[in-house]
Amino acid sequence: MRFFFSIMLVSLVVFSISKFFQLLISGKLFEEGAVKESFRESGKTLWLGMRLFVVLWFAYLIIVWLATRH
């Protein structure tokens, strides 16, 4: 369990550094609200990805159920 949390912490730090680096390269790091908007956009993308995962998981379960039923 400790290994899992270490991996999650490292991935969160790498993600944050990559966002700041992306804003630094584009020259928007010190604009007002740029960091907040960047993380908000990432949150929306993550939320869409989680919803897609749930839809695909339900489709998988239905297919498995149909395959084992017959």
Side-chain angles (χ1 to χ4, degrees):
M1 194 69 158
R2 185 185 307 171
F3 180 72
F4 174 73
F5 285 122
S6 299
I7 294 296
M8 289 296 291
L9 179 65
V10 168
S11 63
L12 181 64
V13 168
V14 168
F15 173 76
S16 298
I17 290 173
S18 70
K19 279 293 180 186
F20 282 115
F21 191 68
Q22 181 183 9
L23 288 172
L24 180 69
I25 295 296
S26 66
K28 297 181 181 181
L29 182 61
F30 298 110
E31 290 181 6
E32 184 177 338
V35 174
K36 186 176 182 179
E37 186 62 33
S38 175
F39 281 102
R40 181 178 291 141
E41 181 181 311
S42 298
K44 288 179 183 178
T45 304
L46 180 65
W47 180 246
L48 288 174
M50 289 189 299
R51 290 192 319 192
L52 178 63
F53 174 79
V54 168
V55 169
L56 292 176
W57 182 250
F58 280 141
Y60 167 76
L61 289 176
I62 290 169
I63 290 170
V64 168
W65 179 73
L66 289 173
T68 58
R69 188 169 167 236
H70 295 289

